[in-house]
Amino acid sequence: MTYDDLLHKIGDFGKYQKRIYFFLCLPAISCALHKLAGVFILAKTDHRCQLPGELNNASYALPINIMNMSYPFDYKLDHFSSCKMYDTNFTETYYSSNIPANHSINCHRWIYDRETFQNTAVMEFDLVCDRAWYKGTADSMLMVGVMLGSIIFGYLSDRIGRKNIFTISVWLQGIAGCGMAFTQEYWSFTFLRVLVGASTSGLYLAAYVIGLEFVSPKYRMVVGVVIQMFFSVGFLLTSAFAYVFHNNWRYFQLAITIPTLFYTTYHWFIPESVRWLLTNGKQERAVKIIQKVCRVNGVDISDKDIVEILECDIEKKPIVQADAQPKASFFDLFKHPVILKRSIIIMLLWFVNSTAYYGLSWSTSNLGGNQYLVFNLAGLVEFPAYTFLLLTLNKWGRKINISGFLILAGLALLATLAVPKTNTWLVIFCAMMAKLAITASYGAVYVYTAEQFPTVVRNMGLGVGSFFARIGGIVAPYINNTAEIWVNMPLVVYGGLALLVGAWSLVLPETLNKKLPDTIEDLIDMSDKKYKPVLTNEPATNGDTNKDKDKY
C-alpha cells in the first residue's frame, strides 16, 4: 500500500481536507489582487499639457476654442495632442486672434482628468508621453518578480518545506505591499513591485502544493481548477477595492495588502505537506498529521497501521544508482525532430496563453466603456471558462480544448478590426469572448504539457514552458503600450498570435487516455505507431491533471 492508497483509506477528499483546502484557496485571492492592482494603481487617464500660469489643480476640461488655440490636433489619435502645446505667449491678444501658432513643443507638466480616478501612480510620477513606457515597465517588473519567485521559492519549498515558504511569502507580501503605499518616487515603487510579484509566486505555490498533496489523484483536477476560481474571485474584488478607494491609490494599495497578514495565523492550523515530511525523513510529524486527519474524517485506523503503510511506501521507492543510466539534460528537448517540434509548440503555447491572458486583463481600460464594469466582465467570464473545462477536459480531450479555444480567441480579437469605432460594446463583447477562451486554454495547458513529454524530461518541459509564460507576462505591458500608436494594436497582436499558435498546435497528438512515454526513445517509437490506449484503469498522468500553479 502506498501513500495514495492511504489517502483513499482515510478520505480521498474528506472533511479535514475540505476544511484546509478552503483556507488554502484564500491566498489565491490576494495573489489576484496584487497582480491585477496595476490596472487601477497605474490607471492612465486623459491628460493635457499644463499651460503657463495654470495651477496644478486646474480643471482638465477647457472650452473648445481654448483647446484649439493651445494644442495641435493629433489626426492619428483623433483628438488634441496630450503631449504637445503651441510654442507661443498665451495672452488674451493671442486667443482673440483665433489664429493658432505654427510651432509646437513638448510639455513637461500635465493636467489630468480626475473624474474617474482622483489620484493614481501615473499622475503622481507623470508616467505619460515620453515616460509612458515607465508604466509598462512597472507591470513588467511585477512579472519579473513572479518569475524569480517561482524559481527561488520553488527551489526552497523542496528544501525547507512548503509551510515555511508560505509564511515567508506572507511577510514579504505584507512588508513590500505596504512599502509601496509610502514610496515617493518611481524606482522604489517599481522595485517593491518586483518583491510583491515574487511573494505572489511563493504564496500561491506553497498553498497550491499543500492542498494538492492532501487529496487523492482522482480529485486533483477538481482541486486544481477550483483554486483558480478563487483567483477569479480576487479578480472581481480588485475592482471593488479600486472603486471604494478611487480617491487615492495609496489607500487602495494598503487595503489589498493588510488582509494578507491574516494568513500568518495559518502557522497554527495549516499542516505541512505529509509528502514533503516523508521525503525529508520526518515520519513522526507525518504520522501526527495523518492521525488528526483520521480523527476529523471519522476514520478508525491504528497508529501502527499508519506507520507500517508509510514505511512500506518509503521502502517501495526504487533506489537507482546515479550511473545506472545517463540523466536527461535540457538539450534533450531539442535533439530529435519529434521532441523538437513538441518543445517549440509547447513553448509558444505557454507564451501566447500568458501574454494574451495578462495582456487582456491589464488592458480593459483601453476598450472603452465604464472601466469598473468592463474589468468585472473580464473576471466574470473566467467562471464559465473553468466550469466548461471541468466538464470537457476528460471527455473531449486536451487538444480540442487548447487549440479550439486559442483559435476562437484569435478570431474574436481580429473581428474587432471590422467593428466601427463608435460601437464600443461590440468591441468589448469580442474582447470578453477572447478572454473566456484564453482562460480555458490556459487552464488546460499544464496537463497537456505534462503529457506531451516523456518522463525523463517532463519536469524540464514544464519548466521551460513556465519560463516562456513568464516572458509572455513581461512583454504584455509593452504590447499594451502600442495602443498609444493605434488603439486596436494590442488586440490585433494577441489575436494574431492566438490564431497562429492555436492552428499550429493542431499538429500535436491527443493525449487523453493514452499511454505516456518514459524515455525519448519511447516517444520516437510511439510517434511512428501513434499512441496506444491505456489498458489499465489507472489515470495516465497519475491524477495530476491540472497543476496550473505557474499561471499565478
Side-chain angles (χ1 to χ4, degrees):
M1 185 178 286
T2 65
Y3 176 65
D4 283 337
D5 296 320
L6 176 62
L7 280 175
H8 180 68
K9 190 175 181 65
I10 67 178
D12 294 303
F13 192 35
K15 184 178 179 181
Y16 181 85
Q17 290 101 317
K18 289 175 182 175
R19 182 188 299 170
I20 66 164
Y21 177 67
F22 170 76
F23 284 104
L24 289 170
C25 283
L26 296 180
I29 297 176
S30 292
C31 292
L33 287 169
H34 284 284
K35 283 193 172 183
L36 299 166
V39 174
F40 300 102
I41 287 177
L42 292 163
K44 179 188 171 185
T45 63
D46 290 335
H47 54 278
R48 60 177 178 82
C49 296
Q50 184 175 352
L51 299 173
E54 271 194 310
L55 300 176
N56 291 334
N57 61 352
S59 171
Y60 168 78
L62 289 175
I64 188 64
N65 63 310
I66 300 295
M67 293 289 291
N68 190 51
M69 295 293 291
S70 304
Y71 309 106
F73 195 83
D74 189 332
Y75 289 95
K76 268 189 180 178
L77 299 177
D78 199 29
H79 59 66
F80 286 102
S81 175
S82 301
C83 303
K84 294 179 179 292
M85 63 181 181
Y86 286 125
D87 184 16
T88 186
N89 293 319
F90 293 95
T91 62
E92 288 187 14
T93 304
Y94 169 73
Y95 283 118
S96 62
S97 70
N98 287 325
I99 302 175
N102 57 10
H103 181 64
S104 60
I105 57 172
N106 294 325
C107 56
H108 304 287
R109 299 174 69 95
W110 294 268
I111 301 296
Y112 295 94
D113 184 357
R114 301 179 187 271
E115 182 178 353
T116 304
F117 301 101
Q118 293 188 17
N119 175 265
T120 69
V122 168
M123 296 177 186
E124 283 200 19
F125 304 138
D126 287 328
L127 308 183
V128 294
C129 298
D130 291 341
R131 288 169 55 89
W133 67 274
Y134 280 55
K135 175 183 180 297
T137 299
D139 279 328
S140 287
M141 294 307 292
L142 175 80
M143 297 307 291
V144 167
V146 172
M147 180 171 66
L148 293 175
S150 64
I151 296 171
I152 296 170
F153 289 129
Y155 172 81
L156 290 177
S157 68
D158 288 333
R159 297 296 181 272
I160 65 175
R162 288 79 160 102
K163 190 173 178 178
N164 287 330
I165 289 301
F166 183 91
T167 303
I168 292 170
S169 299
V170 167
W171 283 106
L172 178 61
Q173 189 169 110
I175 294 171
C178 289
M180 275 179 59
F182 297 98
T183 53
Q184 298 300 314
E185 50 86 30
Y186 171 80
W187 290 111
S188 298
F189 170 84
T190 303
F191 172 72
L192 289 172
R193 274 178 70 77
V194 175
L195 299 183
V196 168
S199 73
T200 63
S201 282
L203 199 62
Y204 186 87
L205 174 69
Y208 183 96
V209 172
I210 292 174
L212 197 74
E213 293 182 344
F214 264 102
V215 301
S216 66
K218 72 176 185 178
Y219 281 97
R220 287 178 189 159
M221 185 184 77
V222 176
V223 164
V225 172
V226 170
I227 196 170
Q228 295 175 53
M229 290 183 173
F230 276 78
F231 187 92
S232 301
V233 171
F235 203 120
L236 299 177
L237 287 176
T238 303
S239 63
F241 275 105
Y243 182 79
V244 173
F245 297 100
H246 69 279
N247 290 338
N248 195 311
W249 71 269
R250 298 179 186 275
Y251 295 151
F252 169 63
Q253 178 62 33
L254 286 173
I256 65 173
T257 301
I258 290 175
T260 302
L261 299 178
F262 160 77
Y263 302 132
T264 56
T265 61
Y266 282 23
H267 176 76
W268 288 279
F269 67 92
I270 295 294
E272 178 58 271
S273 165
V274 172
R275 287 186 185 274
W276 183 84
L277 292 172
L278 293 174
T279 303
N280 289 271
K282 303 178 186 297
Q283 186 176 321
E284 188 176 338
R285 285 178 61 189
V287 171
K288 288 181 179 179
I289 293 171
I290 293 173
Q291 289 171 342
K292 185 173 182 179
V293 176
C294 291
R295 286 197 303 272
V296 176
N297 288 353
V299 176
D300 187 17
I301 181 171
S302 68
D303 295 351
K304 182 181 177 182
D305 289 340
I306 294 173
V307 173
E308 287 180 354
I309 293 169
L310 295 180
E311 287 178 346
C312 180
D313 188 37
I314 293 171
E315 290 172 1
K316 278 188 176 182
K317 291 180 181 177
I319 300 174
V320 180
Q321 297 297 327
D323 57 353
Q325 60 180 16
K327 288 186 177 180
S329 70
F330 166 79
F331 299 102
D332 287 321
L333 291 173
F334 311 98
K335 278 185 177 178
H336 192 277
V338 172
I339 197 169
L340 172 63
K341 178 182 71 175
R342 295 191 183 196
S343 298
I344 293 173
I345 297 176
I346 290 297
M347 288 187 295
L348 289 173
L349 279 174
W350 281 87
F351 175 82
V352 170
N353 273 287
S354 178
T355 305
Y357 178 86
Y358 285 110
L360 290 173
S361 298
W362 289 333
S363 66
T364 51
S365 59
N366 293 335
L367 300 176
N370 183 285
Q371 291 193 40
Y372 297 106
L373 177 59
V374 176
F375 185 84
N376 278 331
L377 287 174
L380 284 171
V381 297
E382 294 194 357
F383 292 98
Y386 289 132
T387 302
F388 189 84
L389 202 60
L390 279 172
L391 297 174
T392 63
L393 194 59
N394 284 338
K395 290 183 180 180
W396 293 4
R398 289 70 159 112
K399 181 175 177 178
I400 191 172
N401 273 291
I402 293 179
S403 300
F405 276 120
L406 275 178
I407 292 171
L408 174 61
L411 293 175
L413 290 171
L414 293 177
T416 59
L417 292 173
V419 179
K421 291 182 180 180
T422 54
N423 201 334
T424 300
W425 283 104
L426 187 54
V427 172
I428 293 172
F429 173 79
C430 292
M432 293 305 107
M433 283 296 298
K435 179 64 177 0
L436 185 153
I438 285 294
T439 301
S441 174
Y442 207 170
V445 73
Y446 193 102
V447 57
Y448 198 45
T449 300
E451 294 172 348
Q452 288 293 333
F453 291 107
T455 304
V456 292
V457 290
R458 187 163 293 135
N459 282 341
M460 290 182 197
L462 289 167
V464 170
S466 174
F467 178 79
F468 272 81
R470 303 285 77 80
I471 298 297
I474 291 169
V475 303
Y478 294 111
I479 295 175
N480 286 343
N481 273 5
T482 62
E484 300 280 340
I485 304 170
W486 179 36
V487 70
N488 280 356
M489 181 68 81
L491 301 183
V492 172
V493 172
Y494 299 138
L497 287 172
L499 187 60
L500 178 64
V501 176
W504 194 9
S505 65
L506 288 170
V507 304
L508 293 177
E510 177 56 69
T511 55
L512 176 64
N513 295 329
K514 307 292 180 170
K515 186 178 185 298
L516 300 185
D518 289 319
T519 65
I520 295 175
E521 289 71 24
D522 290 341
L523 177 66
I524 296 169
D525 183 58
M526 295 168 77
S527 67
D528 294 330
K529 298 179 181 178
K530 304 238 173 157
Y531 280 103
K532 300 174 183 177
V534 177
L535 300 178
T536 67
N537 292 325
E538 297 281 332
T541 56
N542 296 323
D544 293 335
T545 51
N546 202 351
K547 293 183 180 178
D548 193 19
K549 60 178 179 286
D550 291 304
K551 175 175 173 182
Y552 305 112

